[in-house]
């Protein structure tokens, strides 16, 4: 059955931001249509957090703003309308209680992303909003009276106001193919070049791939750009482009885990990613001198112990075997026979092993998109375009990307909610 052609508000994209925006607009009394290209809404919500959905972070508005870096200030007004505690309360009221994990990540108690999505769809249905599935928007046309014509493959619709919540272009298989950028560009907006963020990092070194499956819960990682021999002013200076600490995983293509995903945006955004290396401290809670002293003490008190055995009390055995092989130190070397120079090399490799990278797994495996519609051109108090009256933008389609930990959903929920209240 065709949809009624005329609407107060049409929201394009039923993801995290679109579901909040459409619900809120309808609750505020607007005749609202939510268009979604997929057969169901909230595909990324279902995939998120390893299908557990990390809905937000256990922090206040300030904590969310800070996590987004310099662009985080854009979120103040949206968070003033819907902060992390209010998101938690909103889900609780819909019968989805949540729990806080030691990392501060907040998940539904059930560990089921489907509960989160069901709750949002329930509230959407109660709001009176119409949800139209398998209805991709193919064109957005601005009319002379500042309203819009929206073209889908089936029909032409009209709306006084439009909220674009089409997300970024990561995981394109889930429906996010950067469609919003095209319309925004056509309407005169600046799109900061999209690039993959929160994406695994690729490494050629065979020894890394052979460690596939080894996980460490606490590794400090720095992305290092070596001195540029061709630029006279930067000669001799290496630069740290990003640093984080957290859980780390070796994979068949390179490296993953939250700490790697969090630093990946500087690699995917680098003109020559192959020049970069990751400096990994596998024991960040122990200083270099402390580790050195520990090895010396062990040598003094239990000198017959073998190197491999002693190290495996500190790190996973497969990793220590590999580190020793890289240093050409035999695993059965007795501690008492370890020279000062070799002990120094060992401490250095545990505390700052350099792993050259080749790039990232790209948009295909990126949890978010960095770049997007320029924040300068959007009023953060309303989410309305500063260039096109009655056009609103929310969620990841904007030039906003946060770290792992529920920050990205919070930003999508809050900006969507604010846009819904302001249309
Ligand atoms: C694997 C994975 C795990 C993640 N886990 C987490 C997590 O645990 N916590 C967290 O905070 N963030 C997580 N994220 C990031 C989070 O999913 C996104 O930041 C968030 O979904 C962005 O919300 P959005 O509404 O802006 O975009 P999306 O949720 O991507 O929604 C955009 C919607 O627009 C639709 N659409 C696109 N083009 C059109 C069109 N032309 N017509 C109609 N509809 C269209 C899409 O189909 C989609 O439904 C994860 C992402 C991925 C990929």
């Amino acid at each position: 059955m065709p949809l009624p052609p005329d609407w107060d508000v049409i929201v394009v994209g039923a993801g995290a931001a679109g579901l909040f925006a459409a619900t809120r607009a309808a609750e505020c009394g607007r005749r609202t249509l939510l268009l979604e290209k997929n057969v169901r809404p909230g595909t990324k919500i279902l995939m998120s957090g390893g299908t557990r959905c990390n809905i937000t972070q256990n922090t206040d508005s300030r904590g969310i703003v800070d996590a987004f870096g310099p662009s985080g200030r854009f979120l103040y007004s949206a968070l003033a309308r819907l902060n992390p505690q209010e998101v938690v309360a909103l889900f609780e009221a819909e019968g989805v209680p949540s729990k806080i994990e030691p990392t501060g990540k907040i998940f539904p108690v059930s560990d089921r992303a489907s509960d989160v999505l069901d709750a949002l769809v329930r509230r959407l249905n109660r709001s009176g909003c119409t949800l139209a599935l398998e209805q991709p928007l193919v064109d957005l046309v601005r009319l002379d009276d500042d309203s819009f014509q929206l073209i889908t493959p089936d029909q032409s619709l009209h709306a006084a106001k439009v909220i674009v919540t089409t997300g970024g272009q990561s995981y394109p298989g889930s429906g996010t193919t950067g469609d919003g950028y095209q319309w925004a560009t056509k309407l005169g907006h600046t799109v900061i070049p999209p690039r993959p963020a929160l994406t695994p990092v690729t490494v050629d070194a065979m020894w890394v791939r052979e460690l596939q499956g080894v996980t460490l819960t606490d590794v400090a990682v720095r992305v290092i750009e070596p001195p540029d021999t061709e630029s006279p002013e930067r000669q001799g200076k290496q630069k740290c482009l990003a640093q984080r600490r957290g859980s780390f995983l070796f994979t068949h293509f390179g490296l993953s885990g939250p700490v790697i995903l969090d630093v990946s945006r500087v690699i995917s955004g680098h003109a020559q990613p192959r020049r970069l290396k990751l400096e990994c401290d596998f024991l960040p809670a122990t200083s270099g001198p402390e580790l050195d002293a520990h090895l010396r003490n062990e040598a003094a008190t239990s000198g017959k112990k073998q190197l491999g055995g002693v190290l495996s009390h500190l790190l996973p055995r497969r990793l220590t075997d590999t580190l020793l092989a890289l240093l050409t130190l035999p695993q059965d070397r007795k501690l008492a026979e370890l020279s000062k120079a070799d002990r120094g090399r060992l401490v250095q490799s545990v505390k700052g092993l350099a792993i050259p990278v080749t790039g990232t797994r790209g948009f295909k495996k990126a949890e978010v998109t960095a770049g997007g519609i320029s924040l300068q051109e959007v009023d953060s108090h309303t989410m309305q375009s500063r260039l096109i009256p009655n056009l609103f933008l929310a969620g990841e389609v904007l030039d906003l990307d946060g770290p792992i930990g529920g920050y990205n959903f919070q930003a999508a929920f809050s900006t969507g909610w604010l846009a819904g209240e302001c249309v």
Side-chain angles (χ1 to χ4, degrees):
M1 213 171 62
L3 293 161
D6 241 316
W7 298 87
D8 293 340
V9 178
I10 296 184
V11 181
V12 190
L19 286 163
F20 271 69
T23 299
R24 201 61 193 143
E27 285 175 353
C28 292
R30 310 278 170 264
R31 286 185 62 249
T32 306
L33 171 66
L34 174 55
L35 290 178
E36 168 56 48
K37 67 155 69 151
N38 285 332
V39 289
R40 62 178 175 198
T43 304
K44 270 192 190 159
I45 294 175
L46 290 178
M47 300 161 66
S48 68
T51 72
R52 295 197 303 138
C53 188
N54 172 200
I55 50 179
T56 186
Q57 173 72 204
N58 181 33
T59 184
D60 55 11
S61 297
R62 185 61 197 265
I64 302 289
V65 165
D66 289 348
F68 278 81
S71 49
R73 277 174 306 156
F74 180 85
L75 290 170
Y76 267 124
S77 299
L79 288 161
R81 296 291 180 97
L82 187 74
N83 66 30
Q85 290 71 38
E86 287 162 331
V87 164
V88 166
L90 186 147
F91 282 109
E92 175 102 41
E94 278 311 318
V96 183
S98 53
K99 59 181 176 185
I100 305 170
E101 298 210 330
T103 51
K105 292 179 178 178
I106 298 183
F107 289 91
V109 169
S110 66
D111 282 330
R112 282 200 302 258
S114 56
D115 289 353
V116 172
L117 180 59
D118 290 350
L120 293 179
V121 172
R122 264 198 308 279
R123 184 152 173 177
L124 179 83
N125 289 338
R126 269 205 321 276
S127 75
C129 173
T130 300
L131 171 62
L133 298 172
E134 294 183 272
Q135 289 296 317
L137 183 71
V138 290
D139 201 8
L140 177 63
V141 181
R142 185 185 180 197
L143 302 176
D144 290 343
D145 64 353
D146 287 334
S147 65
F148 298 91
Q149 184 189 20
L150 293 96
I151 316 281
T152 74
D154 298 335
Q155 66 186 112
S156 168
L157 301 161
H158 175 261
K161 298 187 180 188
V162 168
I163 309 179
V164 174
T165 51
T166 44
Q169 63 181 70
S170 57
Y171 267 87
S174 72
T176 40
T177 44
D179 302 8
Y181 304 144
Q182 288 171 39
W183 312 317
T185 306
K186 195 183 78 176
L187 292 171
H189 272 280
T190 309
V191 174
I192 310 297
R195 52 206 187 276
L198 304 188
T199 186
V201 167
T202 51
V203 174
D204 268 350
M206 221 33 225
W207 66 265
V208 169
R209 292 157 177 246
E210 282 165 1
L211 286 173
Q212 171 181 357
V214 173
T215 313
L216 293 102
T217 51
D218 188 16
V219 175
V221 170
R222 289 166 16 108
V223 182
I224 301 294
E225 185 184 57
D228 184 349
T229 43
E230 281 167 25
S231 143
E233 70 276 11
R234 286 219 38 239
Q235 269 199 17
K237 285 190 208 144
Q238 68 169 26
K239 208 161 138 195
C240 174
L241 303 181
Q243 53 185 329
R244 298 290 287 194
R245 190 168 157 176
S247 176
F248 180 103
L249 168 69
F250 289 95
T251 70
H252 64 284
F253 54 79
L255 301 167
S256 190
V259 70
I260 294 296
L261 301 190
D262 268 339
V263 297
S264 64
R265 66 172 62 66
V266 299
I267 300 172
S268 63
H270 198 276
Q272 294 170 286
R274 284 178 178 269
R275 285 191 57 226
L276 305 178
K277 59 185 178 181
L278 292 176
E279 205 177 85
C280 302
D281 178 352
F282 293 113
L283 281 180
T286 307
S287 71
E290 281 167 352
L291 179 59
D292 188 76
H294 172 73
L295 294 172
R296 270 188 287 123
N297 285 345
E298 287 282 302
T301 54
S302 337
K304 286 193 180 142
K305 277 192 186 164
Q306 295 183 349
L307 206 43
V310 170
L311 289 177
S312 67
H313 283 105
L314 304 172
L315 292 168
R317 182 75 201 222
R318 282 172 62 198
L319 175 59
T320 60
D321 289 354
T322 301
L323 292 179
L324 291 175
L326 290 171
L327 295 169
T328 57
L329 285 172
Q331 291 169 35
D332 58 1
R333 169 77 54 86
K334 302 232 175 6
L335 267 192
E337 291 161 10
L338 187 66
S339 69
K340 186 177 172 195
D342 282 345
R343 198 174 62 236
R345 289 197 304 132
L346 184 56
V347 170
Q348 167 57 32
S349 85
V350 171
K351 295 290 298 170
L353 188 71
I355 305 179
V357 307
T358 54
T360 69
R361 297 265 272 166
F363 281 118
K364 231 172 156 182
K365 296 289 172 192
E367 291 200 3
V368 296
T369 302
I373 297 171
S374 169
L375 301 181
Q376 314 287 325
E377 297 166 356
V378 180
D379 179 355
S380 65
H381 299 100
T382 58
M383 295 295 138
Q384 185 167 199
S385 161
R386 290 187 193 276
L387 311 182
I388 310 291
N390 301 326
L391 175 68
F392 292 71
L393 304 137
E396 211 181 294
V397 73
L398 294 168
D399 176 24
L400 268 178
D401 65 291
I404 286 260
Y407 297 96
N408 289 294
F409 274 143
Q410 180 66 50
F413 295 157
S414 296
T415 55
W417 186 264
L418 177 60
E421 286 202 340
C422 293
V423 280

